[in-house]
Each structure stands twice: as structure tokens, then as C-alpha cells.
Amino acid sequence: MSLPASGLLPFLITHTLFMALTGICLAALVLSLALSTRQGGRLYTLLLLVLLPATAAALTLPFLLPLDRSSLLLPFFQGVLIGPAISLAPLRRLKDAPSAWGRTAQELGATSLTRIRLLWLPLLGRPLVGSIGLALALSLLGALGISKAPLS
């Protein structure tokens, strides 16, 4: 049984945005971890290993768990599971960037805001936009799965 048409749009918007924000926050945490530890290559490999199972689990989770549709717990779990897919494109760009760029910019007197604005944002701009688009697309698919999953 699916949701009535009048309540479908607010439901889709709420769950899509909550799932996307959860995944984007997790991706931001992964990227900051990669920047601070300089372990982008290892994180990239680990995320590649869990990419397909986590994304498949995120999209099938509404059919596996009998949760209340008004609860935001299911979109939270789905957002965590789409996190690896969102993190891959920016992390690939970070993995390929020389690790000395940030230290060199710091030694040349660039503040952290200047490094973000002049170094990391131009380097990660397109992958970040693509990741946000992927997050919204996967979140919409996940929210549609929640609305079509049978009630238990």
C-alpha cells in the first residue's frame, strides 16, 4: 500500500532531503579525515569495496525493515549507506593530488580559508557538485522505495 497522493510530495521532500543531508555529512567527514590524515588512497580503496553492497542495501532497506514511514530513522540509515557513493568522486580527486600542496600553501602564508578558497575548492568543485547530484538522486530513489514499501 502506498501513500495517498496528497501526502506524497511533502513525504518525498522531507525524506529525500534528510537522507541526502545525512549522506553529505558523512561524505564531508570522510573527506576531512582524508585531508587530515593524508590517507586518501586507502580510504578510496575501502570505499570502493563497500560501494555496491552499501548502495544496494540503502535502496532495498525499506523493503527489509518494517519501520514506521513517519520515522526519520530509515532515511538516516539510508543516508549513511549512500555515504560511500557520495564520497568517491571527491576522494578520487584528493587521492590524485600531491600531498605537499596543502603544506606548501601553508608555508607560503595561506590561511586555512585561503587554502580552501584557492586550492581545495577549485580542485574539488566539479566532483562535489556531482556528488551532491548523486546524493539527491539516490535519496529520491530511497524515498520512493519507502513510499512504495508494504506496511507491516
Side-chain angles (χ1 to χ4, degrees), residues 19 44 46 71 88-89 104 116 125 139-140 145-147:
M19 185 175 162
Y44 182 77
L46 289 173
S71 168
L88 276 179
T104 303
I116 289 171
S139 299
L140 184 60
I146 294 172
S147 69

Side-chain angles (χ1 to χ4, degrees), residues 1-12 69 147-148 151:
M1 181 182 286
S2 62
L3 291 173
S6 63
L8 186 62
L9 188 62
F11 171 84
L12 285 178
R69 288 193 178 134
S147 69
K148 299 295 181 192
L151 288 174

Side-chain angles (χ1 to χ4, degrees), residues 16-17 20-21 23-25 27 82 85-87 89-90 124-139:
T16 299
L17 289 178
L21 284 176
I24 289 169
C25 288
I82 65 168
I86 298 169
S87 302
L124 298 174
R126 284 188 179 166
L128 287 176
V129 169
S131 291
I132 290 171
L134 180 65
L136 289 173
L138 287 174
S139 299

Side-chain angles (χ1 to χ4, degrees), residues 65-78:
L65 292 179
L67 290 178
D68 183 24
R69 288 193 178 134
S70 62
S71 168
L72 290 178
L73 189 61
L74 186 59
F76 173 78
F77 287 143
Q78 287 179 303

Side-chain angles (χ1 to χ4, degrees), residues 17-82:
L17 289 178
F18 189 73
M19 185 175 162
L21 284 176
T22 303
I24 289 169
C25 288
L26 181 65
L29 183 68
V30 167
L31 291 175
S32 64
L33 181 68
L35 277 174
S36 65
T37 63
R38 295 178 180 82
Q39 297 293 323
R42 289 187 177 137
L43 279 173
Y44 182 77
T45 304
L46 289 173
L47 289 176
L48 272 178
L49 290 173
V50 300
L51 174 68
L52 290 177
T55 306
L59 295 178
T60 59
L61 203 58
F63 300 102
L64 301 175
L65 292 179
L67 290 178
D68 183 24
R69 288 193 178 134
S70 62
S71 168
L72 290 178
L73 189 61
L74 186 59
F76 173 78
F77 287 143
Q78 287 179 303
V80 168
L81 288 170
I82 65 168

